[in-house]
Amino acid sequence: MQNYDIKKERRDLYSARRDRFEIVDVPRMSFLMVDGRGNPNTSADYRAAVEALYTTAYAVRAIAKEKLGRTHTVGPLEGLWYADDLSVFKTRDHDEWSWTLMIVQPGWVTSAMVDEAMERVARTKDLSAGHRVRFDDYAEGQCVQILHVGPYDEEGPTIARMHEEFMPAEKLVPRGHHHEIYLSDARRTEPSRLRTILRQPVGPAHT
């Protein structure tokens, strides 16, 4: 039985260069998602959302193996970040951040399988955010991305270069939400060694 691992199958989307920005085309993909708001460093709601996502993702994997005979590696945690006032990202005012946490799903996963997984989880686990998990598609199209190595709170200068230097030089403007893909397990990795893909959907600048 061959195992599917999106980090290996789509290296263009789940790996990135540290030394330069890249432009990639991201297709529509399916995700488990949870929406929330607040400081990811201190919010109990954020931790609950992460737990609900991973618990559901592993339940989906088990069902896919049982019903379809297909196995896959659970994908990395991803986050979309947004706010009414974008200046809160520069000031690092975490309490004003809104987020959508996500885990990508293989193309053979269906909404019925996710519903069954959520029912199984509800019977065996008491997850405060379990009922908030949803299964949805997300399409980004053209994006700029780069690999950041180091603490999450040191991403600012790289994001600034992306928006203030690379995009104008390529005649691109941001659209949609700032996207981060967490390739490292923050519970087991020193902050200086954390690997995060920083991604921003873009469109042509109108001159």
Side-chain angles (χ1 to χ4, degrees), residues 43 73 83 100 123:
S43 170
T73 299
T100 298
R123 290 196 301 266

Side-chain angles (χ1 to χ4, degrees), residues 162-196:
M162 178 188 289
H163 285 258
E164 298 169 11
E165 297 177 19
F166 182 80
M167 289 185 194
E170 297 294 322
K171 297 182 171 56
L172 297 171
V173 293
R175 58 174 179 79
H177 299 319
H178 174 72
H179 186 171
E180 300 190 354
I181 302 173
Y182 306 104
L183 301 177
S184 306
D185 185 342
R187 299 168 302 175
R188 298 180 175 88
T189 307
E190 293 181 8
S192 63
R193 299 174 64 87
L194 289 171
R195 298 168 64 249
T196 307

Side-chain angles (χ1 to χ4, degrees), residues 55-56 59-60 62-64 66-67 109-124:
T55 303
T56 305
V60 168
I63 290 171
E66 292 170 14
K67 296 186 177 296
V109 170
T110 66
S111 57
M113 293 166 64
V114 173
D115 289 343
E116 182 175 349
M118 293 180 67
E119 290 172 5
R120 288 190 187 185
V121 169
R123 290 196 301 266
T124 59

Side-chain angles (χ1 to χ4, degrees), residues 56-66 70-74 105:
T56 305
Y58 279 101
V60 168
R61 184 179 72 166
I63 290 171
K65 185 175 181 180
E66 292 170 14
R70 308 186 77 161
T71 65
H72 67 273
T73 299
V74 170
Q105 300 300 296

Side-chain angles (χ1 to χ4, degrees), residues 9-135:
E9 298 294 332
R10 294 304 308 261
R11 293 182 186 275
D12 57 326
L13 304 181
Y14 285 86
S15 65
R17 297 284 297 269
R18 183 182 183 181
D19 57 342
R20 63 184 175 90
F21 295 103
E22 299 173 301
I23 298 176
V24 295
D25 187 39
V26 185
R28 181 177 299 274
M29 296 188 291
S30 298
F31 294 84
L32 299 176
M33 300 179 169
V34 178
D35 302 314
R37 179 185 176 90
N39 190 333
N41 298 318
T42 60
S43 170
D45 187 50
Y46 183 90
R47 293 191 296 271
V50 172
E51 182 183 18
L53 271 181
Y54 273 111
T55 303
T56 305
Y58 279 101
V60 168
R61 184 179 72 166
I63 290 171
K65 185 175 181 180
E66 292 170 14
K67 296 186 177 296
L68 304 178
R70 308 186 77 161
T71 65
H72 67 273
T73 299
V74 170
L77 182 68
E78 307 184 37
L80 305 178
W81 298 90
Y82 44 99
D84 295 333
D85 179 3
L86 296 181
S87 67
V88 299
F89 292 108
K90 292 183 179 180
T91 61
R92 313 304 290 176
D93 187 2
H94 300 81
D95 292 334
E96 297 302 316
W97 294 6
S98 294
W99 37 262
T100 298
L101 299 181
M102 317 189 297
I103 296 178
V104 68
Q105 300 300 296
W108 58 78
V109 170
T110 66
S111 57
M113 293 166 64
V114 173
D115 289 343
E116 182 175 349
M118 293 180 67
E119 290 172 5
R120 288 190 187 185
V121 169
R123 290 196 301 266
T124 59
K125 301 278 188 178
D126 183 18
L127 299 176
S128 61
H131 64 288
R132 290 163 49 198
V133 176
R134 58 189 171 89
F135 181 56

